Structures are given as C-alpha cells and as structure tokens.
Amino acid sequence: MRVGIIGIGNMGLAMALNLRERGVDVTVRDLRDGPERIARTAGATVAASPAELAAAVDVVITVVGTGAETREVLLGADGVATADGAGRVVIICSTIAPDDVIACAGHLARASWQTLDAPISGGPARARAGSMSMMLGGDPALIASLAPLLAMLGEPRFVIGPHPGDGAKAKLVNNLLAAVNLAAAGEAFALAERLGLDAKTVLDVVCASSGQSWIAADRIPRALAGDFAPRAHARILTKDIGLALDCARGVGQPATLGVAAQAVFARTCALGWAEEDDAAVLKACRQPDTT
C-alpha cells in the first residue's frame, strides 16, 4: 500500500517516519522545506503538489491545521480531488469542523474517492510510535479494508459511527475536555506558586489524588521546567475549543466551562505565546488579569 501524507508538521512527520520505519512506501507534501528534507532522508518521496501526491498513492492522509487548509489541499485547483480516486481513499486526520469533513467527503466522492474521518490524539511521540488514539467515522467495510494501515498508525482505535464527521465530533468533545482540564491546571498551579508552595511537590500530590488528569500530568511537568517547545501549539487547542463551542451552540448545549477555557487560551495567545506549547497557559495564569 502506497501512502501519501499531506501536512508533515509535528504529527504528520512523526506518522511518516513511523510508516517508513515499518517499510511502507510513503510520499509527503508540505509547504516547508525542513520537514520535507527530514522525510526524504528517511526514504520518503516528496511530491510537488497535493495532486501529484494523490496520483502516486493508494491512500492520502491529511494532517493540516485547519478546515480551510484541508479544503484547499483536497478540493483546490491543485488538490487531491483533481486526481481520479477510483479504488483509493482519503483519511482526514486533522481536527476540523464536522461540517468541513462532510463537505470534503461529498466533493471527493464525485471524483470516486472514499473518505475516512479519523482525527488523532496523543502527541508526536505517540504518533512516532504508532500508538496515538484514533476516532473513526466511516463505512465499516472501508475501515476493515484499512485495518493493517490503521494498526500501524494508532492504538487504541475507536469506531465512532458510520459517517464522515462522526469522528470529528468525538474529537472535539475530547479536546473541549482537554482544554478545560489544562486551563484549570494552569490556574491551580499558578495558585500553588502564589501560595509559596513547591509546585513540583504539589504536582506529585495531584497526580496521586483526585485532581489528576492526563493532560495536566503530561503538560504541567514540562511547564514547571520552563519547557514550552511546541509539541502542540497553543493556537491549535485555541482553534479546537472554538470548533467545539460552535458544535455546542449548533445543538443548543450550554458549555460554560468551555467558554471560560476559551478565554484562558485566547489570553495565552494574546500575550504572545500562540506558537509555544499549549502548556503556556500556565504562564498566562501567572500573569495578573487587568481586563
């Protein structure tokens, strides 16, 4: 199976390197030379455009940042849909609005492409190891046919529903909760510091007690160490909160804590840390809010 990956940032590049290590024929496309050079060194082929990549592979995986970027690489003038998709598949791994997934799947179907909605979670280290979580929305027969590839990419894998868009909805529910937990952790550890406590000792307490959350246990240790190198940019989770809140408004579901978390992340970005790791919410919580 020949696999193409469009968007080789933190997650996409890790996925490409994982597949190459397992002997998969991989073609990549990105707007930046650096990640493409790394992928080429690992044995991947670099395509000049999404259309060129699509013509050379059996499965296209998109891991770009936004719905607009996903539409462009799939449906644009030089996009995947310009190639005949008969017998071939697009896997959308980006966290984007369910409506964007549904729209892309519809357009791709007109060019004979099948679409699997498969947002991912877990960070670059898990993507590199093939152990990231995957939330799958698509035809059960399609999912079954892709089982060997999906097994190389992620574990656990959750079949959310039979339609593209189902996976995106589940991912946004997850990311809303992750954002609320991380914003709360930033606030709690800023308070611990202001109270004169040793934050690392408090972290040990929290991780062994009822305040524990996966995202706090993952992010707060490096934040306390002053390590804000981006594994997941603050702007990305900020975007995801907005998408989740849009979904909530669309079905009339209150999301009071989500709105509060959105404000914390928006402030983190406004203070200049949008391109840092989302653990930078701790820095924002340390700053007095003068608004």
Side-chain angles (χ1 to χ4, degrees), residues 189 198-208 216-217 220-222 224:
F189 282 90
D198 180 83
K200 293 180 180 178
T201 300
V202 174
L203 177 62
D204 291 338
V205 171
V206 168
C207 287
I220 296 300
R222 61 181 185 243
L224 294 177

Side-chain angles (χ1 to χ4, degrees), residues 10-288:
N10 286 339
M11 295 295 284
L13 180 59
M15 293 164 67
L17 296 177
N18 167 47
L19 291 178
R20 280 300 305 137
E21 192 170 82
R22 296 170 188 259
V24 177
D25 183 336
V26 176
T27 301
V28 299
R29 169 63 184 163
D30 201 89
L31 294 177
R32 298 160 300 164
D33 291 337
E36 288 187 337
R37 284 197 300 271
I38 295 171
R40 183 184 285 112
T41 299
T45 301
V46 175
S49 69
E52 180 181 299
L53 177 145
V57 302
D58 305 300
V59 176
V60 174
I61 300 174
T62 61
V63 204
V64 296
T66 68
E69 291 169 348
T70 301
R71 286 174 177 265
E72 178 61 27
V73 302
L74 292 178
L75 311 179
D78 207 16
V80 170
T82 61
D84 180 13
R88 297 190 286 165
V89 180
V90 168
I91 303 178
I92 300 176
C93 287
S94 305
T95 301
I96 59 177
D99 286 347
D100 282 330
V101 176
I102 294 166
C104 287
H107 283 284
L108 287 164
R110 296 183 195 121
S112 300
W113 289 90
Q114 291 183 279
T115 301
L116 177 63
D117 174 22
I120 53 181
S121 182
R126 287 178 60 188
R128 182 69 178 83
S131 62
M132 59 188 177
S133 300
M134 304 187 77
M135 289 137 274
L136 309 179
D139 183 275
L142 176 61
I143 294 172
S145 71
L146 293 169
L149 174 61
L150 297 175
M152 288 188 276
L153 291 171
E155 177 65 37
R157 299 179 302 282
F158 303 94
V159 178
I160 305 300
H163 307 295
D166 292 339
K169 293 172 186 176
K171 178 64 187 300
L172 291 175
V173 169
N174 174 81
N175 281 21
L176 177 63
L177 185 56
V180 169
N181 282 338
L182 183 52
E187 185 174 280
F189 282 90
L191 173 61
E193 292 173 337
R194 191 67 61 91
L195 291 172
L197 301 175
D198 180 83
K200 293 180 180 178
T201 300
V202 174
L203 177 62
D204 291 338
V205 171
V206 168
C207 287
S209 305
S210 56
Q212 191 271 342
S213 70
W214 180 90
I215 198 162
D218 182 74
R219 303 303 205 264
I220 296 300
R222 61 181 185 243
L224 294 177
D227 176 6
F228 298 101
R231 287 75 161 181
H233 294 83
R235 61 177 168 78
I236 297 295
L237 194 47
T238 305
K239 176 262 295 181
D240 293 351
I241 302 168
L243 294 175
L245 293 179
D246 286 344
C247 286
R249 284 187 286 268
V251 295
Q253 172 61 43
T256 305
L257 295 178
V259 171
Q262 184 182 46
V264 174
F265 277 87
R267 186 163 178 264
T268 302
C269 293
L271 288 168
W273 299 313
E275 297 303 320
E276 293 192 6
D277 193 81
D278 51 25
V281 295
L282 176 60
K283 294 199 288 186
C285 290
R286 286 168 173 162
Q287 301 295 315

